C-alpha cells in the first residue's frame, strides 16, 4: 500500500482515506476542495442522523450540497410512510438535497442513492464525495459483499469524473482486508494518526483473499458500451445479486 498526499490527488479519483476513526482527518476537507467552488457539488454519505451538519464543505460556496444519512430511522421511516413504503429518493429541485435510508444493510439502496446524485449533478458540476465510513458497512455486511459494493460504486463515480474518498480505520480490520480494499482505489491517503497501523499484507496475501472471494456467478459487473454511462437500474441490478 503506497500512500499519497491529499494535495497531489485530483479528479477523477477514488481515494481510500486511512485514519483512526476516533480522530478527524484533515485530509478529508482537503480532498473536498476545488478551485472553482461555484461549479462544485459536494455529497456526504454518513451513518449518523446529522449528515448535513457534518458535511466537510471543502469549498466555501459549493453550488450544491447533498447528504445521504444511512441508518436514519426517524427520517427514513417518515419518508417511506409518505411514499407508501417505497424509497423514491430525494427532491433535487433545491441547492441542498437530503436523502435518508433506514436500513444500513441495504447496500443496493445506498448505491442507487449515490448514483442518483451522480445522474443529477455529475454532468454540470465537479462532484466531490465523502463516504463515512467503510467501517460502518463492514459492521453490517461481510467483507466480500462490501468489496463488491465499493467496486461497483467507484466505477459509477468514475463515470462522472468525481473526486471521492472513503474513510477506513485500519486498526479495526485484518491487514488483508485493509490492503485488499486499498487495491481497488486510485489513491490511498494515510493520516498521521494511522501510520503505525498501515497493513503489511503482501500482493500474495491480497491475491489469496481475492481468490477466496472469486465466484463468477456472484461477482457484480456492469456491462457498458464505450461512452455509455451506468444507470440507477444498472447499479441496483448488480448490487442485488
Amino acid at each position: 500500500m503506497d500512500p499519497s498526499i491529499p494535495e497531489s490527488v485530483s479528479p477523477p479519483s477514488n481515494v481510500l482515506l486511512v485514519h483512526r476513526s476516533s480522530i478527524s482527518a484533515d485530509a478529508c476537507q482537503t480532498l473536498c476542495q476545488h478551485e472553482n467552488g461555484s461549479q462544485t457539488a459536494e455529497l456526504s454519505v454518513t451513518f449518523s442522523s446529522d449528515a448535513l451538519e457534518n458535511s466537510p464543505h471543502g469549498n466555501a460556496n459549493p453550488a450544491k450540497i447533498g447528504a445521504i444519512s444511512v441508518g436514519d430511522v426517524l427520517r427514513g421511516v417518515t419518508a417511506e410512510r409518505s411514499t407508501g413504503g417505497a424509497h423514491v429518493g430525494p427532491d433535487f429541485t433545491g441547492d441542498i438535497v437530503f436523502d435518508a435510508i433506514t436500513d444500513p444493510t441495504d447496500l443496493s439502496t445506498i448505491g442507487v442513492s449515490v448514483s442518483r446524485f451522480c445522474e443529477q449533478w455529475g454532468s454540470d458540476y465537479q462532484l466531490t464525495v465523502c463516504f463515512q465510513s467503510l467501517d460502518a458497512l463492514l459492521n453490517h455486511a461481510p467483507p466480500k459483499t462490501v468489496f463488491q459494493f465499493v467496486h461497483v460504486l467507484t466505477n459509477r463515480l468514475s463515470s462522472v469524473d468525481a473526486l471521492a474518498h472513503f474513510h477506513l480505520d485500519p486498526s479495526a480490520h485484518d491487514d488483508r482486508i485493509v490492503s485488499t480494499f486499498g487495491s481497488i482505489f486510485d489513491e490511498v491517503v494515510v493520516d498521521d494518526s494511522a501510520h503505525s497501523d498501515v497493513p503489511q499484507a503482501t500482493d500474495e496475501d491480497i491475491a489469496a483473499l481475492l481468490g477466496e472471494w472469486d465466484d463468477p456467478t456472484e461477482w457484480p459487473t456492469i456491462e457498458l458500451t464505450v461512452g455509455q454511462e451506468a444507470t440507477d437500474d444498472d447499479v441496483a441490478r448488480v448490487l442485488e445479486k
Side-chain angles (χ1 to χ4, degrees):
M1 180 177 291
D2 297 321
S4 305
I5 59 173
E7 292 80 3
S8 68
V9 179
S10 59
S13 290
N14 288 296
V15 179
L16 182 64
L17 177 55
V18 179
H19 70 103
R20 287 291 186 104
S21 57
S22 59
I23 300 174
S24 298
D26 293 338
C28 176
Q29 184 164 345
T30 302
L31 290 168
C32 289
Q33 290 178 344
H34 288 286
E35 294 181 1
N36 192 349
S38 64
Q39 295 301 317
T40 299
E42 294 184 1
L43 171 64
S44 63
V45 183
T46 183
F47 285 72
S48 67
S49 60
D50 56 350
L52 192 58
E53 292 78 6
N54 286 340
S55 175
H57 300 319
N59 295 283
N61 295 295
K64 302 286 185 179
I65 297 174
I68 301 172
S69 181
V70 182
D72 189 341
V73 176
L74 180 60
R75 290 174 176 172
V77 169
T78 300
E80 289 172 1
R81 285 176 178 170
S82 67
T83 58
H87 184 271
V88 297
D91 179 1
F92 284 94
T93 56
D95 293 334
I96 299 177
V97 182
F98 185 83
D99 195 10
I101 298 170
T102 303
D103 185 1
T105 69
D106 189 354
L107 302 191
S108 177
T109 299
I110 298 171
V112 168
S113 181
V114 175
S115 182
R116 285 173 175 162
F117 279 90
C118 290
E119 180 181 3
Q120 293 291 326
W121 293 348
S123 298
D124 299 323
Y125 303 94
Q126 174 58 64
L127 179 62
T128 63
V129 179
C130 171
F131 196 105
Q132 301 190 33
S133 65
L134 293 183
D135 303 305
L137 286 185
L138 288 164
N139 286 335
H140 293 287
K144 175 183 176 180
T145 301
V146 178
F147 185 88
Q148 293 174 338
F149 167 82
V150 174
H151 174 73
V152 172
L153 190 58
T154 53
N155 283 338
R156 179 67 174 107
L157 292 165
S158 294
S159 74
V160 294
D161 294 336
L163 175 57
H165 68 275
F166 294 66
H167 293 246
L168 180 67
D169 184 345
S171 66
H173 312 285
D174 180 87
D175 278 4
R176 290 201 309 167
I177 297 296
V178 178
S179 294
T180 302
F181 272 88
S183 69
I184 62 172
F185 284 88
D186 300 311
E187 307 278 356
V188 176
V189 171
V190 180
D191 184 74
D192 290 341
S193 66
H195 274 294
S196 61
D197 302 314
V198 174
Q200 301 301 315
T202 65
D203 291 343
E204 290 75 16
D205 294 330
I206 295 173
L209 185 57
L210 288 173
E212 295 172 13
W213 293 347
D214 188 17
D215 185 344
T217 65
E218 296 182 7
W219 192 258
T221 58
I222 301 178
E223 299 295 337
L224 300 175
T225 59
V226 176
Q228 182 182 359
E229 182 178 307
T231 65
D232 295 344
D233 289 340
D234 293 326
V235 173
R237 173 177 52 80
V238 296
L239 291 177
E240 286 172 353
K241 288 187 177 182

